[in-house]
Amino acid sequence: MSALLGAGVAIGFGAPVLAQTTTSYSITHGFSFSVGGNTTPLVRGFDGGSAFAFSPYVSPPAAFSSYVNLSYPLGPPWTRSDSVSVSRGLASATASSYTQINSLGVGTVSGFINASGTASALERGETACANSYTGVTARQRIRLPFGGVIWGPRFALDFVSGGGCAVGKDPIKFTVTDPDTGAILNSGQFLDITSTGDGTVNWDDDSLDFAISNGTFSIDLNSPFIPDNQRGTLLLKVQGGIITDSQDTGIFDGYLPQIGSSGTFSVSGSDFKPDLTFDYDLGDFGKEVDLELTADGGAIPVPESSTMNPLSLGVLGLIFLGGKRFWRSSSKK
């Protein structure tokens, strides 16, 4: 059995900003997987990140650095951290990844992962970008693929931008494979969190906070392999700072304001669930199978062409191909 856990994503983009702009994010997921079986899962980690800074006032004007670790063992000590920083003129960027395993036992693994960083562009024409991602895998072979997941999204962002939009995905998927033939017996998705557009979304222990100008936020926890009383969906659409579509069902019922309300609001109180907890049962395949659970996240901005030079756009493409977390700080007057 394999469980793959990746850092979640929250995206925010604001209106055009003046110089002296700094943006930052910290994205954390606490996780606990009960995967069954009578052995301890083999745990490995992965991470990556990149940072880019551009200033037309120095030579050379651009700096770029990155790190990518496709797979590394997670044994004592049960932590791993990586980071990278660059600067050109008054533009700078830092990206970091951190993984921690808190417990590992027969059929279980828990811990937390974090992707964080900052970007600063203090003069007209400067641009700073950064992205990072991290995750862990826990591999286990099992006779009956059923178990439980606790997934704790935590978003803490301070995003501003010169224009454009962002798209982010935060899914938890599953794949059941025949260990003898390698054939995929079943695959699908337990959870998907998607955010697009212009604004901020912050998720912490006490509340889920929205400040969206134009964009969409959705949660789909509606797999047929999850019990009915643990399912739910949420769909929020905002245009011009006003909610144009508001749908919440199941465990998310009552989260969203009515259509016509402001796109800036908070979800809190006794009905708010800071952690997403669910069971799954994929059935009996008549033999031992390999189960892979994948929890991953990604984000990419789509900037307005007038806000960035061709060199910056090329580097943005490289950053997206190499990473899962992205934000941009761009200064203009």
Side-chain angles (χ1 to χ4, degrees):
M1 182 284 180
S2 172
L4 176 61
L5 310 177
V9 65
I11 300 103
F13 279 80
V17 297
L18 299 177
Q20 297 183 340
T21 296
T22 299
T23 74
S24 65
Y25 73 80
S26 178
I27 301 168
T28 299
H29 276 314
F31 63 88
S32 176
F33 269 33
S34 299
V35 297
N38 55 10
T39 61
T40 299
L42 174 65
V43 178
R44 300 184 68 86
F46 64 92
D47 66 15
S50 57
F52 168 73
F54 173 85
S55 175
Y57 308 110
V58 298
S59 181
F64 175 79
S65 186
S66 66
Y67 60 91
V68 176
N69 299 290
L70 298 180
S71 179
Y72 53 80
L74 277 174
W78 299 91
T79 61
R80 168 78 180 225
S81 61
D82 292 286
S83 64
V84 65
S85 297
V86 297
S87 63
R88 299 305 300 157
L90 296 180
S92 62
T94 299
S96 301
S97 303
Y98 181 81
T99 302
Q100 177 173 313
I101 302 300
N102 292 332
S103 66
L104 179 63
V106 176
T108 64
V109 59
S110 67
F112 74 89
I113 50 183
N114 175 265
S116 62
T118 61
S120 183
L122 302 183
E123 294 289 344
R124 176 185 174 90
E126 291 185 334
T127 299
C129 317
N131 79 98
S132 59
Y133 64 93
T134 185
V136 299
T137 67
R139 190 171 298 274
Q140 181 94 305
R141 184 163 294 178
I142 190 170
R143 174 64 174 81
L144 297 173
F146 67 90
V149 175
I150 300 175
W151 187 242
R154 298 296 184 271
F155 311 149
L157 304 102
D158 179 15
F159 267 127
V160 289
S161 171
C165 65
V167 179
K169 299 285 286 184
D170 188 14
I172 297 181
K173 304 176 182 178
F174 67 87
T175 304
V176 180
T177 305
D178 187 321
D180 298 322
T181 66
I184 295 177
L185 304 176
N186 197 0
S187 63
Q189 184 169 272
F190 292 136
L191 169 69
D192 181 74
I193 302 175
T194 301
S195 179
T196 66
D198 180 348
T200 64
V201 181
N202 294 331
W203 189 324
D204 60 29
D205 289 337
D206 302 314
S207 65
L208 174 58
D209 305 313
F210 296 91
I212 299 177
S213 299
N214 295 281
T216 300
F217 180 83
S218 65
I219 304 174
D220 185 346
L221 182 60
N222 202 34
S223 168
F225 301 105
I226 297 174
D228 289 344
N229 62 355
Q230 297 176 356
R231 300 184 199 175
T233 62
L234 183 149
L235 176 62
L236 172 69
K237 294 182 179 181
V238 180
Q239 293 183 358
I242 302 300
I243 295 175
T244 59
D245 197 353
S246 174
Q247 304 178 38
D248 46 21
T249 68
I251 65 171
F252 305 114
D253 185 37
Y255 269 38
L256 299 180
Q258 295 180 347
I259 293 175
S261 302
S262 171
T264 298
F265 64 95
S266 294
V267 181
S268 60
S270 59
D271 292 334
F272 172 64
K273 298 173 178 60
D275 296 328
L276 300 179
T277 302
F278 59 89
D279 302 314
Y280 62 89
D281 188 344
L282 299 176
D284 187 350
F285 294 87
K287 60 181 296 185
E288 284 193 333
V289 294
D290 289 332
L291 171 64
E292 181 178 86
L293 299 184
T294 304
D296 203 350
I300 184 170
V302 185
E304 294 174 353
S305 60
S306 62
T307 66
M308 302 191 72
N309 56 51
L311 175 60
S312 299
L313 290 173
V315 173
L316 287 180
L318 291 174
I319 291 175
F320 176 63
L321 291 175
K324 304 293 185 181
R325 297 286 170 273
F326 194 103
W327 89 101
R328 177 171 62 88
S329 174
S330 184
S331 288
K332 63 180 183 179
K333 291 182 180 178

